[in-house]
Amino acid sequence: QVQLVESGGGLVQPGGSLRLSCAASGSIFSIYDMGWYRQAPGKQRELVARITRFLSSNYADSVKGRFTISRDNAKSTVYLQMNSLKPEDTAVYYCNAVHPVSGDYWGQGTQVTVSS
């Protein structure tokens, strides 16, 4: 099993930037598809961005052109660079790992608040 620990959340003004990190341990990182999800109060958890073990990526329409997902297999870490942040990006952001056999794993989440 893989363990996931997110970091990098916080309070930022509209238009600002943050970089989230998710460090994985306990398994071979390179075989997992990795993703970032978010959940705002009163809303369902939604996919923000995903990067496969083959390095293909996809994004929610709401973040295209503003967010970039990347991974460093040597460091067992996936990143989410968030630029031009908006108040509607406020949410708890969760790291997700999908193993081709054993399925989904989740981090504990990190809060991102965009407010002036």
Side-chain angles (χ1 to χ4, degrees):
Q1 291 188 356
V2 65
Q3 291 79 45
L4 305 171
V5 179
E6 301 101 332
S7 61
L11 173 64
V12 63
Q13 292 187 342
S17 297
L18 283 174
R19 189 176 81 155
L20 304 183
S21 299
C22 172
S25 62
S27 188
I28 302 173
F29 179 75
S30 60
I31 66 173
Y32 288 82
D33 293 340
M34 300 299 298
W36 288 97
Y37 286 72
R38 67 186 181 187
Q39 188 167 19
K43 295 188 177 181
Q44 290 188 332
R45 190 174 297 189
E46 63 176 1
L47 175 68
V48 176
R50 170 169 297 282
I51 184 165
T52 73
R53 60 192 183 275
F54 305 114
L55 303 183
S56 64
S57 59
N58 62 284
Y59 297 88
D61 287 343
S62 60
V63 307
K64 282 180 181 176
R66 300 188 297 123
F67 291 10
T68 303
I69 190 169
S70 61
R71 65 190 295 164
D72 185 336
N73 287 342
K75 296 182 178 179
S76 298
T77 301
V78 63
Y79 304 97
L80 185 68
Q81 178 66 44
M82 305 186 293
N83 298 328
S84 302
L85 282 160
K86 304 175 181 180
E88 50 263 44
D89 295 317
T90 296
V92 178
Y93 284 70
Y94 296 91
C95 181
N96 170 257
V98 180
H99 187 277
V101 175
S102 59
D104 282 68
Y105 300 88
W106 294 91
Q108 81 288 351
T110 185
Q111 177 70 47
V112 172
T113 302
V114 184
S115 175
S116 55

PDB file of all heavy atoms in Angstrom, residues 40-75:
ATOM      1  N   ALA A  40     -15.102  21.407  -2.000  1.00  0.00           N
ATOM      2  CA  ALA A  40     -15.508  22.653  -1.356  1.00  0.00           C
ATOM      3  C   ALA A  40     -16.672  22.349  -0.422  1.00  0.00           C
ATOM      4  O   ALA A  40     -17.387  21.359  -0.600  1.00  0.00           O
ATOM      5  CB  ALA A  40     -15.905  23.671  -2.409  1.00  0.00           C
ATOM      6  N   PRO A  41     -16.895  23.213   0.565  1.00  0.00           N
ATOM      7  CA  PRO A  41     -17.998  22.976   1.507  1.00  0.00           C
ATOM      8  C   PRO A  41     -19.333  22.831   0.789  1.00  0.00           C
ATOM      9  O   PRO A  41     -19.675  23.649  -0.065  1.00  0.00           O
ATOM     10  CB  PRO A  41     -17.970  24.235   2.382  1.00  0.00           C
ATOM     11  CG  PRO A  41     -16.568  24.712   2.320  1.00  0.00           C
ATOM     12  CD  PRO A  41     -16.099  24.399   0.925  1.00  0.00           C
ATOM     13  N   GLY A  42     -20.044  21.780   1.121  1.00  0.00           N
ATOM     14  CA  GLY A  42     -21.358  21.558   0.544  1.00  0.00           C
ATOM     15  C   GLY A  42     -21.352  21.023  -0.870  1.00  0.00           C
ATOM     16  O   GLY A  42     -22.416  20.894  -1.485  1.00  0.00           O
ATOM     17  N   LYS A  43     -20.175  20.692  -1.385  1.00  0.00           N
ATOM     18  CA  LYS A  43     -20.075  20.194  -2.761  1.00  0.00           C
ATOM     19  C   LYS A  43     -19.419  18.817  -2.784  1.00  0.00           C
ATOM     20  O   LYS A  43     -18.762  18.410  -1.837  1.00  0.00           O
ATOM     21  CB  LYS A  43     -19.282  21.171  -3.625  1.00  0.00           C
ATOM     22  CG  LYS A  43     -19.955  22.513  -3.812  1.00  0.00           C
ATOM     23  CD  LYS A  43     -19.223  23.365  -4.841  1.00  0.00           C
ATOM     24  CE  LYS A  43     -19.937  24.667  -5.086  1.00  0.00           C
ATOM     25  NZ  LYS A  43     -19.243  25.492  -6.116  1.00  0.00           N
ATOM     26  N   GLN A  44     -19.613  18.124  -3.895  1.00  0.00           N
ATOM     27  CA  GLN A  44     -18.982  16.822  -4.066  1.00  0.00           C
ATOM     28  C   GLN A  44     -17.511  16.979  -4.411  1.00  0.00           C
ATOM     29  O   GLN A  44     -17.080  18.000  -4.968  1.00  0.00           O
ATOM     30  CB  GLN A  44     -19.698  16.041  -5.174  1.00  0.00           C
ATOM     31  CG  GLN A  44     -21.088  15.572  -4.811  1.00  0.00           C
ATOM     32  CD  GLN A  44     -21.683  14.641  -5.856  1.00  0.00           C
ATOM     33  OE1 GLN A  44     -21.344  14.719  -7.029  1.00  0.00           O
ATOM     34  NE2 GLN A  44     -22.565  13.750  -5.426  1.00  0.00           N
ATOM     35  N   ARG A  45     -16.750  15.947  -4.081  1.00  0.00           N
ATOM     36  CA  ARG A  45     -15.350  15.934  -4.460  1.00  0.00           C
ATOM     37  C   ARG A  45     -15.247  15.848  -5.984  1.00  0.00           C
ATOM     38  O   ARG A  45     -15.983  15.078  -6.619  1.00  0.00           O
ATOM     39  CB  ARG A  45     -14.638  14.753  -3.806  1.00  0.00           C
ATOM     40  CG  ARG A  45     -13.136  14.777  -3.948  1.00  0.00           C
ATOM     41  CD  ARG A  45     -12.485  13.653  -3.144  1.00  0.00           C
ATOM     42  NE  ARG A  45     -12.738  13.803  -1.706  1.00  0.00           N
ATOM     43  CZ  ARG A  45     -12.142  13.058  -0.779  1.00  0.00           C
ATOM     44  NH1 ARG A  45     -11.249  12.134  -1.136  1.00  0.00           N
ATOM     45  NH2 ARG A  45     -12.435  13.229   0.496  1.00  0.00           N
ATOM     46  N   GLU A  46     -14.343  16.633  -6.564  1.00  0.00           N
ATOM     47  CA  GLU A  46     -14.214  16.664  -8.015  1.00  0.00           C
ATOM     48  C   GLU A  46     -12.762  16.532  -8.437  1.00  0.00           C
ATOM     49  O   GLU A  46     -11.848  16.958  -7.713  1.00  0.00           O
ATOM     50  CB  GLU A  46     -14.777  17.980  -8.585  1.00  0.00           C
ATOM     51  CG  GLU A  46     -14.055  19.226  -8.122  1.00  0.00           C
ATOM     52  CD  GLU A  46     -14.576  20.486  -8.789  1.00  0.00           C
ATOM     53  OE1 GLU A  46     -15.508  20.417  -9.608  1.00  0.00           O
ATOM     54  OE2 GLU A  46     -14.028  21.582  -8.491  1.00  0.00           O
ATOM     55  N   LEU A  47     -12.565  15.958  -9.601  1.00  0.00           N
ATOM     56  CA  LEU A  47     -11.226  15.837 -10.162  1.00  0.00           C
ATOM     57  C   LEU A  47     -10.718  17.198 -10.593  1.00  0.00           C
ATOM     58  O   LEU A  47     -11.424  17.945 -11.270  1.00  0.00           O
ATOM     59  CB  LEU A  47     -11.234  14.886 -11.348  1.00  0.00           C
ATOM     60  CG  LEU A  47      -9.920  14.762 -12.114  1.00  0.00           C
ATOM     61  CD1 LEU A  47      -8.861  14.071 -11.264  1.00  0.00           C
ATOM     62  CD2 LEU A  47     -10.129  14.013 -13.429  1.00  0.00           C
ATOM     63  N   VAL A  48      -9.494  17.514 -10.209  1.00  0.00           N
ATOM     64  CA  VAL A  48      -8.836  18.746 -10.643  1.00  0.00           C
ATOM     65  C   VAL A  48      -7.874  18.436 -11.792  1.00  0.00           C
ATOM     66  O   VAL A  48      -7.919  19.062 -12.837  1.00  0.00           O
ATOM     67  CB  VAL A  48      -8.074  19.404  -9.488  1.00  0.00           C
ATOM     68  CG1 VAL A  48      -7.313  20.632  -9.979  1.00  0.00           C
ATOM     69  CG2 VAL A  48      -9.019  19.770  -8.355  1.00  0.00           C
ATOM     70  N   ALA A  49      -7.002  17.473 -11.566  1.00  0.00           N
ATOM     71  CA  ALA A  49      -6.001  17.113 -12.581  1.00  0.00           C
ATOM     72  C   ALA A  49      -5.506  15.707 -12.304  1.00  0.00           C
ATOM     73  O   ALA A  49      -5.508  15.257 -11.161  1.00  0.00           O
ATOM     74  CB  ALA A  49      -4.830  18.100 -12.571  1.00  0.00           C
ATOM     75  N   ARG A  50      -5.046  15.066 -13.381  1.00  0.00           N
ATOM     76  CA  ARG A  50      -4.541  13.697 -13.262  1.00  0.00           C
ATOM     77  C   ARG A  50      -3.330  13.558 -14.174  1.00  0.00           C
ATOM     78  O   ARG A  50      -3.303  14.146 -15.263  1.00  0.00           O
ATOM     79  CB  ARG A  50      -5.626  12.714 -13.648  1.00  0.00           C
ATOM     80  CG  ARG A  50      -5.153  11.269 -13.786  1.00  0.00           C
ATOM     81  CD  ARG A  50      -6.332  10.320 -13.915  1.00  0.00           C
ATOM     82  NE  ARG A  50      -7.165  10.328 -12.732  1.00  0.00           N
ATOM     83  CZ  ARG A  50      -6.885   9.709 -11.596  1.00  0.00           C
ATOM     84  NH1 ARG A  50      -5.760   9.030 -11.482  1.00  0.00           N
ATOM     85  NH2 ARG A  50      -7.718   9.755 -10.583  1.00  0.00           N
ATOM     86  N   ILE A  51      -2.379  12.769 -13.712  1.00  0.00           N
ATOM     87  CA  ILE A  51      -1.223  12.430 -14.551  1.00  0.00           C
ATOM     88  C   ILE A  51      -0.987  10.930 -14.423  1.00  0.00           C
ATOM     89  O   ILE A  51      -0.886  10.389 -13.319  1.00  0.00           O
ATOM     90  CB  ILE A  51       0.023  13.256 -14.167  1.00  0.00           C
ATOM     91  CG1 ILE A  51       1.182  12.960 -15.111  1.00  0.00           C
ATOM     92  CG2 ILE A  51       0.432  13.045 -12.714  1.00  0.00           C
ATOM     93  CD1 ILE A  51       2.313  13.978 -15.016  1.00  0.00           C
ATOM     94  N   THR A  52      -0.947  10.259 -15.551  1.00  0.00           N
ATOM     95  CA  THR A  52      -0.806   8.808 -15.534  1.00  0.00           C
ATOM     96  C   THR A  52       0.656   8.394 -15.372  1.00  0.00           C
ATOM     97  O   THR A  52       1.576   9.220 -15.445  1.00  0.00           O
ATOM     98  CB  THR A  52      -1.356   8.195 -16.820  1.00  0.00           C
ATOM     99  OG1 THR A  52      -0.449   8.486 -17.890  1.00  0.00           O
ATOM    100  CG2 THR A  52      -2.741   8.728 -17.145  1.00  0.00           C
ATOM    101  N   ARG A  53       0.831   7.091 -15.201  1.00  0.00           N
ATOM    102  CA  ARG A  53       2.202   6.567 -15.085  1.00  0.00           C
ATOM    103  C   ARG A  53       2.934   6.685 -16.427  1.00  0.00           C
ATOM    104  O   ARG A  53       4.154   6.572 -16.463  1.00  0.00           O
ATOM    105  CB  ARG A  53       2.182   5.122 -14.596  1.00  0.00           C
ATOM    106  CG  ARG A  53       1.437   4.140 -15.470  1.00  0.00           C
ATOM    107  CD  ARG A  53       1.252   2.833 -14.722  1.00  0.00           C
ATOM    108  NE  ARG A  53       0.602   1.799 -15.504  1.00  0.00           N
ATOM    109  CZ  ARG A  53      -0.708   1.676 -15.626  1.00  0.00           C
ATOM    110  NH1 ARG A  53      -1.511   2.533 -15.051  1.00  0.00           N
ATOM    111  NH2 ARG A  53      -1.211   0.686 -16.335  1.00  0.00           N
ATOM    112  N   PHE A  54       2.165   6.951 -17.506  1.00  0.00           N
ATOM    113  CA  PHE A  54       2.763   7.167 -18.819  1.00  0.00           C
ATOM    114  C   PHE A  54       2.958   8.653 -19.114  1.00  0.00           C
ATOM    115  O   PHE A  54       3.277   9.035 -20.237  1.00  0.00           O
ATOM    116  CB  PHE A  54       1.907   6.517 -19.898  1.00  0.00           C
ATOM    117  CG  PHE A  54       1.664   5.055 -19.653  1.00  0.00           C
ATOM    118  CD1 PHE A  54       0.390   4.583 -19.381  1.00  0.00           C
ATOM    119  CD2 PHE A  54       2.714   4.161 -19.675  1.00  0.00           C
ATOM    120  CE1 PHE A  54       0.169   3.241 -19.142  1.00  0.00           C
ATOM    121  CE2 PHE A  54       2.506   2.801 -19.439  1.00  0.00           C
ATOM    122  CZ  PHE A  54       1.229   2.346 -19.167  1.00  0.00           C
ATOM    123  N   LEU A  55       2.690   9.492 -18.123  1.00  0.00           N
ATOM    124  CA  LEU A  55       2.915  10.938 -18.157  1.00  0.00           C
ATOM    125  C   LEU A  55       1.915  11.696 -19.010  1.00  0.00           C
ATOM    126  O   LEU A  55       2.162  12.856 -19.359  1.00  0.00           O
ATOM    127  CB  LEU A  55       4.349  11.268 -18.599  1.00  0.00           C
ATOM    128  CG  LEU A  55       5.461  10.654 -17.752  1.00  0.00           C
ATOM    129  CD1 LEU A  55       6.820  11.108 -18.252  1.00  0.00           C
ATOM    130  CD2 LEU A  55       5.289  10.994 -16.285  1.00  0.00           C
ATOM    131  N   SER A  56       0.776  11.094 -19.325  1.00  0.00           N
ATOM    132  CA  SER A  56      -0.286  11.872 -19.948  1.00  0.00           C
ATOM    133  C   SER A  56      -1.111  12.527 -18.849  1.00  0.00           C
ATOM    134  O   SER A  56      -1.266  11.968 -17.752  1.00  0.00           O
ATOM    135  CB  SER A  56      -1.162  11.000 -20.837  1.00  0.00           C
ATOM    136  OG  SER A  56      -1.836  10.035 -20.072  1.00  0.00           O
ATOM    137  N   SER A  57      -1.651  13.702 -19.128  1.00  0.00           N
ATOM    138  CA  SER A  57      -2.367  14.447 -18.103  1.00  0.00           C
ATOM    139  C   SER A  57      -3.678  14.994 -18.650  1.00  0.00           C
ATOM    140  O   SER A  57      -3.848  15.164 -19.861  1.00  0.00           O
ATOM    141  CB  SER A  57      -1.503  15.583 -17.569  1.00  0.00           C
ATOM    142  OG  SER A  57      -1.131  16.460 -18.592  1.00  0.00           O
ATOM    143  N   ASN A  58      -4.590  15.252 -17.746  1.00  0.00           N
ATOM    144  CA  ASN A  58      -5.849  15.892 -18.107  1.00  0.00           C
ATOM    145  C   ASN A  58      -6.290  16.761 -16.937  1.00  0.00           C
ATOM    146  O   ASN A  58      -5.880  16.560 -15.798  1.00  0.00           O
ATOM    147  CB  ASN A  58      -6.921  14.882 -18.501  1.00  0.00           C
ATOM    148  CG  ASN A  58      -7.298  13.933 -17.405  1.00  0.00           C
ATOM    149  OD1 ASN A  58      -6.574  12.997 -17.106  1.00  0.00           O
ATOM    150  ND2 ASN A  58      -8.422  14.195 -16.760  1.00  0.00           N
ATOM    151  N   TYR A  59      -7.136  17.749 -17.252  1.00  0.00           N
ATOM    152  CA  TYR A  59      -7.535  18.765 -16.290  1.00  0.00           C
ATOM    153  C   TYR A  59      -9.041  19.008 -16.345  1.00  0.00           C
ATOM    154  O   TYR A  59      -9.666  18.861 -17.396  1.00  0.00           O
ATOM    155  CB  TYR A  59      -6.831  20.089 -16.598  1.00  0.00           C
ATOM    156  CG  TYR A  59      -5.331  20.032 -16.490  1.00  0.00           C
ATOM    157  CD1 TYR A  59      -4.554  19.655 -17.577  1.00  0.00           C
ATOM    158  CD2 TYR A  59      -4.694  20.349 -15.295  1.00  0.00           C
ATOM    159  CE1 TYR A  59      -3.166  19.588 -17.474  1.00  0.00           C
ATOM    160  CE2 TYR A  59      -3.314  20.290 -15.184  1.00  0.00           C
ATOM    161  CZ  TYR A  59      -2.554  19.906 -16.274  1.00  0.00           C
ATOM    162  OH  TYR A  59      -1.192  19.853 -16.169  1.00  0.00           O
ATOM    163  N   ALA A  60      -9.576  19.442 -15.219  1.00  0.00           N
ATOM    164  CA  ALA A  60     -10.936  19.955 -15.213  1.00  0.00           C
ATOM    165  C   ALA A  60     -10.969  21.236 -16.043  1.00  0.00           C
ATOM    166  O   ALA A  60     -10.002  22.016 -16.046  1.00  0.00           O
ATOM    167  CB  ALA A  60     -11.384  20.245 -13.783  1.00  0.00           C
ATOM    168  N   ASP A  61     -12.084  21.458 -16.716  1.00  0.00           N
ATOM    169  CA  ASP A  61     -12.194  22.654 -17.554  1.00  0.00           C
ATOM    170  C   ASP A  61     -11.971  23.930 -16.747  1.00  0.00           C
ATOM    171  O   ASP A  61     -11.413  24.907 -17.248  1.00  0.00           O
ATOM    172  CB  ASP A  61     -13.574  22.702 -18.220  1.00  0.00           C
ATOM    173  CG  ASP A  61     -13.724  21.676 -19.325  1.00  0.00           C
ATOM    174  OD1 ASP A  61     -12.698  21.151 -19.804  1.00  0.00           O
ATOM    175  OD2 ASP A  61     -14.875  21.400 -19.715  1.00  0.00           O
ATOM    176  N   SER A  62     -12.386  23.913 -15.492  1.00  0.00           N
ATOM    177  CA  SER A  62     -12.318  25.116 -14.663  1.00  0.00           C
ATOM    178  C   SER A  62     -10.889  25.534 -14.316  1.00  0.00           C
ATOM    179  O   SER A  62     -10.673  26.666 -13.879  1.00  0.00           O
ATOM    180  CB  SER A  62     -13.117  24.915 -13.380  1.00  0.00           C
ATOM    181  OG  SER A  62     -12.605  23.815 -12.642  1.00  0.00           O
ATOM    182  N   VAL A  63      -9.919  24.621 -14.493  1.00  0.00           N
ATOM    183  CA  VAL A  63      -8.541  24.953 -14.120  1.00  0.00           C
ATOM    184  C   VAL A  63      -7.583  24.929 -15.302  1.00  0.00           C
ATOM    185  O   VAL A  63      -6.402  25.247 -15.147  1.00  0.00           O
ATOM    186  CB  VAL A  63      -8.019  24.008 -13.009  1.00  0.00           C
ATOM    187  CG1 VAL A  63      -8.978  23.995 -11.831  1.00  0.00           C
ATOM    188  CG2 VAL A  63      -7.768  22.604 -13.531  1.00  0.00           C
ATOM    189  N   LYS A  64      -8.066  24.569 -16.479  1.00  0.00           N
ATOM    190  CA  LYS A  64      -7.194  24.514 -17.652  1.00  0.00           C
ATOM    191  C   LYS A  64      -6.550  25.869 -17.910  1.00  0.00           C
ATOM    192  O   LYS A  64      -7.212  26.900 -17.870  1.00  0.00           O
ATOM    193  CB  LYS A  64      -7.989  24.078 -18.881  1.00  0.00           C
ATOM    194  CG  LYS A  64      -8.266  22.594 -18.943  1.00  0.00           C
ATOM    195  CD  LYS A  64      -9.051  22.228 -20.197  1.00  0.00           C
ATOM    196  CE  LYS A  64      -9.337  20.735 -20.236  1.00  0.00           C
ATOM    197  NZ  LYS A  64     -10.177  20.362 -21.411  1.00  0.00           N
ATOM    198  N   GLY A  65      -5.249  25.838 -18.166  1.00  0.00           N
ATOM    199  CA  GLY A  65      -4.510  27.053 -18.423  1.00  0.00           C
ATOM    200  C   GLY A  65      -4.024  27.758 -17.167  1.00  0.00           C
ATOM    201  O   GLY A  65      -3.223  28.697 -17.246  1.00  0.00           O
ATOM    202  N   ARG A  66      -4.493  27.318 -16.007  1.00  0.00           N
ATOM    203  CA  ARG A  66      -4.073  27.935 -14.747  1.00  0.00           C
ATOM    204  C   ARG A  66      -3.293  26.968 -13.854  1.00  0.00           C
ATOM    205  O   ARG A  66      -2.377  27.392 -13.144  1.00  0.00           O
ATOM    206  CB  ARG A  66      -5.291  28.446 -13.964  1.00  0.00           C
ATOM    207  CG  ARG A  66      -6.108  29.476 -14.704  1.00  0.00           C
ATOM    208  CD  ARG A  66      -7.176  30.087 -13.800  1.00  0.00           C
ATOM    209  NE  ARG A  66      -8.161  29.106 -13.335  1.00  0.00           N
ATOM    210  CZ  ARG A  66      -8.409  28.865 -12.054  1.00  0.00           C
ATOM    211  NH1 ARG A  66      -7.764  29.514 -11.107  1.00  0.00           N
ATOM    212  NH2 ARG A  66      -9.331  27.965 -11.725  1.00  0.00           N
ATOM    213  N   PHE A  67      -3.664  25.702 -13.893  1.00  0.00           N
ATOM    214  CA  PHE A  67      -3.035  24.689 -13.036  1.00  0.00           C
ATOM    215  C   PHE A  67      -2.185  23.757 -13.890  1.00  0.00           C
ATOM    216  O   PHE A  67      -2.525  23.467 -15.039  1.00  0.00           O
ATOM    217  CB  PHE A  67      -4.081  23.857 -12.316  1.00  0.00           C
ATOM    218  CG  PHE A  67      -4.866  24.581 -11.252  1.00  0.00           C
ATOM    219  CD1 PHE A  67      -4.793  25.950 -11.100  1.00  0.00           C
ATOM    220  CD2 PHE A  67      -5.696  23.860 -10.403  1.00  0.00           C
ATOM    221  CE1 PHE A  67      -5.526  26.604 -10.113  1.00  0.00           C
ATOM    222  CE2 PHE A  67      -6.432  24.486  -9.418  1.00  0.00           C
ATOM    223  CZ  PHE A  67      -6.345  25.870  -9.275  1.00  0.00           C
ATOM    224  N   THR A  68      -1.106  23.259 -13.305  1.00  0.00           N
ATOM    225  CA  THR A  68      -0.247  22.289 -13.977  1.00  0.00           C
ATOM    226  C   THR A  68       0.110  21.169 -13.010  1.00  0.00           C
ATOM    227  O   THR A  68       0.599  21.433 -11.907  1.00  0.00           O
ATOM    228  CB  THR A  68       1.052  22.939 -14.475  1.00  0.00           C
ATOM    229  OG1 THR A  68       0.730  24.027 -15.358  1.00  0.00           O
ATOM    230  CG2 THR A  68       1.904  21.934 -15.232  1.00  0.00           C
ATOM    231  N   ILE A  69      -0.144  19.941 -13.438  1.00  0.00           N
ATOM    232  CA  ILE A  69       0.230  18.785 -12.639  1.00  0.00           C
ATOM    233  C   ILE A  69       1.526  18.206 -13.189  1.00  0.00           C
ATOM    234  O   ILE A  69       1.750  18.193 -14.405  1.00  0.00           O
ATOM    235  CB  ILE A  69      -0.894  17.717 -12.630  1.00  0.00           C
ATOM    236  CG1 ILE A  69      -0.605  16.630 -11.603  1.00  0.00           C
ATOM    237  CG2 ILE A  69      -1.126  17.133 -14.021  1.00  0.00           C
ATOM    238  CD1 ILE A  69      -1.790  15.689 -11.363  1.00  0.00           C
ATOM    239  N   SER A  70       2.379  17.758 -12.284  1.00  0.00           N
ATOM    240  CA  SER A  70       3.636  17.140 -12.694  1.00  0.00           C
ATOM    241  C   SER A  70       4.025  16.094 -11.649  1.00  0.00           C
ATOM    242  O   SER A  70       3.468  16.072 -10.545  1.00  0.00           O
ATOM    243  CB  SER A  70       4.747  18.183 -12.845  1.00  0.00           C
ATOM    244  OG  SER A  70       4.990  18.844 -11.612  1.00  0.00           O
ATOM    245  N   ARG A  71       4.953  15.244 -12.007  1.00  0.00           N
ATOM    246  CA  ARG A  71       5.418  14.221 -11.075  1.00  0.00           C
ATOM    247  C   ARG A  71       6.922  14.049 -11.201  1.00  0.00           C
ATOM    248  O   ARG A  71       7.491  14.227 -12.286  1.00  0.00           O
ATOM    249  CB  ARG A  71       4.695  12.902 -11.301  1.00  0.00           C
ATOM    250  CG  ARG A  71       4.949  12.237 -12.632  1.00  0.00           C
ATOM    251  CD  ARG A  71       3.995  11.060 -12.863  1.00  0.00           C
ATOM    252  NE  ARG A  71       4.212   9.970 -11.919  1.00  0.00           N
ATOM    253  CZ  ARG A  71       3.334   8.999 -11.707  1.00  0.00           C
ATOM    254  NH1 ARG A  71       2.179   8.988 -12.357  1.00  0.00           N
ATOM    255  NH2 ARG A  71       3.611   8.033 -10.851  1.00  0.00           N
ATOM    256  N   ASP A  72       7.537  13.690 -10.095  1.00  0.00           N
ATOM    257  CA  ASP A  72       8.960  13.379 -10.045  1.00  0.00           C
ATOM    258  C   ASP A  72       9.065  11.981  -9.446  1.00  0.00           C
ATOM    259  O   ASP A  72       8.970  11.805  -8.227  1.00  0.00           O
ATOM    260  CB  ASP A  72       9.701  14.407  -9.191  1.00  0.00           C
ATOM    261  CG  ASP A  72      11.205  14.213  -9.206  1.00  0.00           C
ATOM    262  OD1 ASP A  72      11.668  13.090  -9.464  1.00  0.00           O
ATOM    263  OD2 ASP A  72      11.926  15.181  -8.948  1.00  0.00           O
ATOM    264  N   ASN A  73       9.232  10.997 -10.310  1.00  0.00           N
ATOM    265  CA  ASN A  73       9.251   9.613  -9.825  1.00  0.00           C
ATOM    266  C   ASN A  73      10.456   9.340  -8.927  1.00  0.00           C
ATOM    267  O   ASN A  73      10.377   8.514  -8.018  1.00  0.00           O
ATOM    268  CB  ASN A  73       9.240   8.649 -11.004  1.00  0.00           C
ATOM    269  CG  ASN A  73       7.888   8.597 -11.699  1.00  0.00           C
ATOM    270  OD1 ASN A  73       6.866   9.015 -11.142  1.00  0.00           O
ATOM    271  ND2 ASN A  73       7.877   8.095 -12.926  1.00  0.00           N
ATOM    272  N   ALA A  74      11.557  10.037  -9.161  1.00  0.00           N
ATOM    273  CA  ALA A  74      12.736   9.845  -8.318  1.00  0.00           C
ATOM    274  C   ALA A  74      12.482  10.293  -6.884  1.00  0.00           C
ATOM    275  O   ALA A  74      13.071   9.759  -5.935  1.00  0.00           O
ATOM    276  CB  ALA A  74      13.927  10.598  -8.905  1.00  0.00           C
ATOM    277  N   LYS A  75      11.601  11.277  -6.726  1.00  0.00           N
ATOM    278  CA  LYS A  75      11.266  11.784  -5.391  1.00  0.00           C
ATOM    279  C   LYS A  75       9.924  11.249  -4.887  1.00  0.00           C
ATOM    280  O   LYS A  75       9.473  11.622  -3.809  1.00  0.00           O
ATOM    281  CB  LYS A  75      11.229  13.317  -5.401  1.00  0.00           C
ATOM    282  CG  LYS A  75      12.574  13.962  -5.696  1.00  0.00           C
ATOM    283  CD  LYS A  75      12.473  15.476  -5.641  1.00  0.00           C
ATOM    284  CE  LYS A  75      13.840  16.115  -5.887  1.00  0.00           C
ATOM    285  NZ  LYS A  75      13.771  17.599  -5.863  1.00  0.00           N
TER     286      LYS A  75
END
